[in-house]
């Protein structure tokens, strides 16, 4: 499967724990985006990364959230000290280096539940 | 700031009925416009797009026309099928970093046999 791969698909955490969500972009894609979908809402942009660089993090909460896309390995979205309001579906998307068309290729999402 | 507004759902139709899902936007400049579809348990897939005024995007029988004068991008299909049941999202990209999309809240479509 050459699509965007996210794991885990489902993650349950208790308040105060850490959540780590992983995303491997499509082969040949070097741009990664993270979006959050709260229940009954549309997707909200969080962060845009290229290899080893954060390009735009204007949608990231100021505290507890961080993202990286290392030279080797998947992109990671990390949420520290989770709270109930972090319960959501987190979608990763990728696009090729040339960009331009605006088409994003989405993974199936990671659904975080905070107890 | 830029925003997208979609008609509220759920929309329930019988098979072969005509579908319209309204989408209007607010943006500075000249955004590209998109419709994405999300089937149950899956990620979003691009359904169609339009990059400039009066463009018509089309795919799988769905169409949408970029109307600058009414700032709209309504999704239509002449005859829906049960397999079209999904959540439909309208989105815009304001240019530059085109991966930063602004989504509407989504409209759930249920098609009954």
């Amino acid at each position: 499967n050459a699509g965007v791969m996210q794991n885990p698909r489902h993650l349950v955490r208790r308040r105060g724990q850490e959540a780590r969500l992983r995303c491997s972009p499509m082969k040949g894609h070097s741009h990664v985006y993270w979006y959050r979908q709260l229940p009954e809402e549309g997707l909200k942009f969080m962060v845009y990364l290229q290899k080893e660089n954060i390009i735009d993090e204007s949608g990231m909460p100021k505290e507890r959230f961080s993202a990286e896309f290392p030279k080797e390995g998947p992109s990671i979205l990390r949420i520290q000290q989770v709270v109930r309001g972090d319960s959501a579906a987190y979608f990763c998307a990728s696009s090729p280096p040339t960009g331009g068309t605006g088409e994003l290729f989405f993974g199936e999402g990671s659904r975080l539940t905070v107890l | 700031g830029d925003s997208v507004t979609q008609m509220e759902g759920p929309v329930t139709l019988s098979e072969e009925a005509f579908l319209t899902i309204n989408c209007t936007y607010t943006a500075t400049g000249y955004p590209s416009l998109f419709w994405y579809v999300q089937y149950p348990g899956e990620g979003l897939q691009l359904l169609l797009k339009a990059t400039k005024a009066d463009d018509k995007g089309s795919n799988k029988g769905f169409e949408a026309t970029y109307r600058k004068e009414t700032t709209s991008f309504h999704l239509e299909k002449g005859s829906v099928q049960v397999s079209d049941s999904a959540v439909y999202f309208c989105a815009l990209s304001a240019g530059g970093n085109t991966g930063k999309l602004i989504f509407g809240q989504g409209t759930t479509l249920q098609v009954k046999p």
Side-chain angles (χ1 to χ4, degrees), chain B residues 11-73:
Chain B
V11 174
T12 303
L13 295 173
S14 297
E15 209 165 19
E16 300 184 1
F18 183 86
L19 168 71
T20 300
I21 300 178
N22 290 338
C23 171
T24 57
Y25 67 90
T26 302
T28 55
Y30 303 96
S32 296
L33 302 173
F34 307 85
W35 277 99
Y36 278 82
V37 58
Q38 183 180 28
Y39 298 102
E42 299 184 11
L44 280 71
Q45 304 171 25
L46 179 67
L47 181 59
L48 54 84
K49 67 181 182 188
T51 58
K52 61 182 186 297
D54 300 325
D55 269 2
K56 177 186 283 188
S58 61
N59 186 25
K60 300 181 181 179
F62 291 89
E63 293 184 339
T65 301
Y66 188 145
R67 301 283 188 202
K68 187 170 181 293
E69 63 277 12
T70 54
T71 61
S72 65
F73 193 54

Side-chain angles (χ1 to χ4, degrees), chain A residues 3-56:
Chain A
V4 177
M5 302 300 294
Q6 289 189 248
N7 67 83
R9 292 290 307 277
H10 301 277
L11 182 63
V12 179
R13 286 287 179 266
R14 296 190 181 280
R15 281 178 296 170
Q17 292 184 319
E18 178 179 288
R20 282 188 181 227
L21 310 177
R22 288 175 290 278
C23 169
S24 295
M26 282 185 70
K27 187 176 181 180
H29 287 190
S30 57
H31 297 203
V32 166
Y33 309 83
W34 286 93
Y35 285 79
R36 177 166 64 175
Q37 184 180 32
L38 294 170
E40 308 300 325
E41 293 188 15
L43 280 72
K44 296 286 194 286
F45 169 81
M46 299 181 75
V47 63
Y48 162 40
L49 310 106
Q50 295 178 18
K51 286 284 188 182
E52 300 184 282
N53 284 303
I54 297 174
I55 307 302
D56 182 343

Side-chain angles (χ1 to χ4, degrees), chain A residues 9 35 48 58 91 101 104 107, chain B residues 36 38 41 43 97 99-101:
Chain A
R9 292 290 307 277
Y35 285 79
Y48 162 40
S58 58
F91 287 94
T101 68
L104 298 184
Chain B
Y36 278 82
Q38 183 180 28
N97 169 12
K100 184 177 178 180
L101 300 179

